[in-house]
Amino acid sequence: MPDTNGAPNSNPKPNPNKPERPPLLKKSKIIADNTLAGQLFPAVRRVSSTSPSSSESHTSSATNDANFGFGDRDYVYPSFLGPHTTRSRVNVKSTSKSQRNQLELPARSESMPANLSCEAKVESKMKPKPKLKAEKDLNALSIQVSSSASSALSGSSSANFSNARRPSAHRYSWILLLLKFLCTLSVSHTLYLRNEVSKLQEENISLRRACSHVDLASAGIMELEEVNSLVYFSNADSRTVALYMVVFILVIPFALYKYLDYLPRIIDLLKRKYTIKEEVPLKKRIAYVVDVCFSVYPYAKLLALLFSTLFLIGYGGLALYAVGDGSFIEAIWLSWSFVADSGNHADMVGAGPRIVSVLISSGGMLIFAMMLGLVSDAISEKVDSLRKGKSEVIESNHILVLGWSDKLGSLLKQLAIANKSIGGGVVVVLAERDKEEMEMDIAKLEFDFMGTSVICRSGSPLILADLKKVSVSKARAIIVLASDENADQSDARALRVVLSLTGVREGLRGHVVVEMSDLDNEPLVKLVGGELIETVVAHDVIGRLMIQCALQPGLAQIWEDILGFENAEFYIKRWPQLDGVPFEDVLVSFPEAIPCGVKVAAYGGKIIINPDDRYVLKEGDEVLVIAEDDDTYAPGLLPEVNKGLFPRITDPPKYPERILFCGWRRDIDDMIMVLEALLAPGSELWMFNEVPEKDREKKLTDGGLDISGLENIKLVHHVGNAVIRRHLEGLPLETFDSILILADECVEDSIVHSDSRSLATLLLIRDIQSKRLPNKDSRSVPLRHSVFSQSSWIREMQQASDRSIIISEILDSRTRNLVSVSRISDYVLSNELVSMALAMVAEDKQINRVLEELFAEEGNELCIKPAEFYLYDQEEVCFYDIMRRGRQRREIVIGYRIAAAERAVINPAGKSKQRKWSLDDVFVVISSGD
C-alpha cells in the first residue's frame, strides 16, 4: 500500500484484497536545470508511458500492480521531508499495441541523476530489473511527444522550465510564417508554370496537326517558323524571369526590414547554438555602422549616392525589359535616360512601360535632389570653415600671436608701424574665439595698418593641429599673450603653450616671446623653452616703471617714445667700416641715430650699454643705437665737436622720502626691494590697502622679502579702502613726496573695474589735497626737489597736484583722456607699454637684454637731468657738443625737452646745428647709475 508520498510500502508483496492503483504513464523529460530539486537533495525523474485506455485498464490492473516499481514514481525525496504533492499527469499520445505489449516495466531515464538517495537505491533493489527492450521503447516514446505537450508539461511541473521553453515557441513562430509565405509563392508559381506548360502543349498539338496537312515543299518554311516561335518562347521565358526578379527584389527590402532582427537567431539555429543573452538588434547595429561610415569617411555619402544611381539604372532597366519588347541593353539605356532626364518618359507606349518609366523618373528626380543636397552641404561646410577660421594659413616669415587679450589692439598697432618700412607684413592671430568676433573687434580699432594684413584663425594654441594650421614652424616670431585670468592661471596656461610649441616636429624658425604675469614663474618657462624663449614679465616691468616715474616725473612719456615704433627705438646692426674706431668717435658718427652700446662678439654676443670711450670696435661687434627705423641711419663722416667749458656740477645727494602705496599688487614685495635699492636711508613707505596687517607680513615674507633686513625704508601700515573718502582723510596726503595708485589684486581680472577704482582714488586724493593746501605756494619745497628749483618743467609737474607726484596704474588706454582732464602729474598705461615691449622684443629678441638692464635697480638707467649739468644759461652749442659733455659724466644724452614744449625729443635731427639753450630745459640721458 503506498504511503502519503505516493511511494510503495516497504512490504514488497501487494495486498490481494485491495489492489493498488496502477500508475499513469507519461513522457520522459530531462530537466537540465536542477533548481527544482535543490542542491542538497537532487530529484529523481521517473519515466512513465501514457495511461492505458479505459477498456484496457481493468484487464491490465493486476499486471501493472505486480510490476509497479521505483521507476513509476514521479520524484523521490528523503523521507524525513514529509509528504509531497505529486506532479499533475499529462496524457500524451499512446503507443501502438505491440509496443504496449512489449513494455512491461517503465525504465529509468538516462537523464536521471546518479546521486540517488539511499531509500531510492534500496527500493530499486527490491524490484526486478526492467528489460533492455522496454527501456529502448520508452526512450522512443519520449522522443515522439509533441512540443505543445512538452511546454504544457513543463508549465505544470515548474515555472522556470516553462519560462525557458516559452521563447522556443516564439522563436519558431516567425519561421512558420516565412515558410508559409514561401510555400504560397511556390504554389502560385507552380500553378502559373503548369498553366503555361498546358498552353504550350496545346500549341504544339495544333502545330503538329497543321504540319500533317502540308507537303514537303512547305516543310522548310514551317521549320523556320518553328525556330522563330521557339526563340519567341525563350524570350518570353526570360522576360517572365525578369519580371519575377523585379518583384522579388522589390519584396526583399520589406521582408528584410520586417524580419532583419531574426537573422542572428536563424544563424544560431543553423549552428545549433542557443544563446539566451540579450543582444543589440541587427537593425540598430546596421544603422550605427552606417552612421559611423557617414561621420568618419568624407566620401561615404558620395559613394552611397553613386551606388543608388547605379542600382536604380540596373533595376529600372530590368523592369523595362520585363514589361517591354526591346533588348536588355536598350532597356538599360532607356533607364539611364529616364534617370538623367525625367522628361524622356513621355514617349513611352503601353501601361506597363509607362508605369515603370514614371517610377524610374521619380527615382532620378530623388537622386538629383540628393546630389544637389550633397553639393550644397559641401559648399556650405567649406564656407563655414572659411568663416570660422578653420582653413590653413599658407604664409612664411610672419608674426604669430597666440591668445587674445586687451593688449592685442596696441600690439597690432605697433607691429603695423614696425612693418611700415617694408610695405607691410602679415600678422596671424590664433585664439579660442570665433573668427568673425575677432575680426569685428579688430575693425573697431579704427587704425590704419599701413599694408599689414591681420589674419584671424579660431583654434587652441594647446593643440598641435591648430598650431600647424597657422604655419607655426615658418613664423619669424611667436608672441604668447597672457590670458585675462589671474596671474597663476595665466602663467600656467603660458607654460602649456610653450610645451606645445616645443612639440612641433618641424621645429621653430623664429623665437618665442612669452608674456608672464608673475616674476616667480619666469624661470620655469625658460627652463622648458630653452634659448628660443624670451619673457616679458608685465607686472614686474610696470612696477619698476612706476617707481622710476615716481622718482623722476615725466619719464613715462619718454618710455612711450622709446618703446613704441612711432618715434625712435632701439636697433642693433653691424657696421664693418667702424672696426677699429673707439666708442667716443662712434658716438658722433651717426647723423640720424644715437649709439648707446656695443654688442661684443668676443663676449659671446653680450650687449654692453654705455661702454667706456676707449673701447675700440673689433670684427664681429655690432652697434646698439636709437633711431627712427632700421633703414634710416648709417655712419657718416666725423663732425667737428667742441667740448668747450661747462659747469662741473655733481649729482645732489639723496634725501629721505615719504611714499604712499594705495592698493596691493601681487609683486609688491619686488617693488619694495627696488625702492630699498633706490631710496636714501630714513625713507618711509606707507602701505594703504584692505589686506589685514598680519596677512601683509605673511605675504611679503612668502614673496621672499626680509622685512627685518630693510635698511633704507621703513614700512608703515594702514588698513582701509582707497575709494572711501573717510578712510583717505585719515592719511597725511599733503606730506607725501609720491603717491602710487596700484591696480589692486582683488580687481586685476577686470580691467574696467580696476581703472574705475584707480580713477576714483585719484580724484579723491586730489580733492583732499586741494582743500588742505588752498595756497600751494605757501608750502615749502621738498628737499629732493631743491636742486631742480630752476627747472620750470619739473616744477610744473611737481605743482600739478599740490606738489605730490601721483602715479596711477591705468590698464585701459581709453582711460587716458579721463586721466588727462584731472590735472594728474604723471600716469602709466600698463597695457600700452607692455604691448610696446612685446612688439619690440618680437622684432628683435636682443632688445630684451637692453630693456632688462634699463628696468633693473642696478646698472644703467634712463634719467632726466637738468640743463645746468651740461651748459650755461643761454649758451649756444650743438647737440653733438652736449653729447660730448655728457660723456664726461659717464652719460649718453639721447634727447631733450625745451621748457615751452609739451613732449621730449628723442634722437633729434640736426645734431650739428648750433642753438641756444636755457637752464629750464632738461635732457634725457642713459646714466651708469654710479
Side-chain angles (χ1 to χ4, degrees), residues 692-743:
E693 187 173 346
K694 294 182 180 180
D695 296 342
R696 296 181 190 179
E697 296 180 356
K698 184 178 182 303
K699 288 184 176 183
L700 293 175
T701 304
D702 294 341
L705 178 64
D706 184 10
I707 301 177
S708 60
L710 297 176
E711 300 178 354
N712 297 333
I713 60 175
K714 175 185 177 182
L715 300 181
V716 180
H717 297 281
H718 280 269
V719 179
N721 194 338
V723 296
I724 299 178
R725 185 184 184 91
R726 176 169 44 87
H727 294 175
L728 289 173
E729 288 178 346
L731 298 175
L733 298 177
E734 69 279 1
T735 62
F736 294 109
D737 298 302
S738 301
I739 299 176
L740 276 69
I741 302 176
L742 310 177

Side-chain angles (χ1 to χ4, degrees), residues 53 208 398 464 527 565 790 925:
S53 62
R208 287 180 180 179
H398 59 285
L464 290 177
L527 177 64
F565 286 94
Q790 297 181 358
V925 302

Side-chain angles (χ1 to χ4, degrees), residues 7 106 255 341 343 389 412 417 465 518 537 695 777 849 893:
D341 187 0
L412 294 177
I417 297 173
D518 196 340
V537 185
D695 296 342
D777 294 333
R849 309 281 86 79
V893 182

Side-chain angles (χ1 to χ4, degrees), residues 171-188:
R171 184 183 303 122
Y172 294 109
S173 61
W174 65 270
I175 300 179
L176 294 177
L177 293 176
L178 183 59
L179 291 176
K180 291 177 181 179
F181 174 77
L182 295 178
C183 290
T184 304
L185 185 63
S186 301
V187 169
S188 61

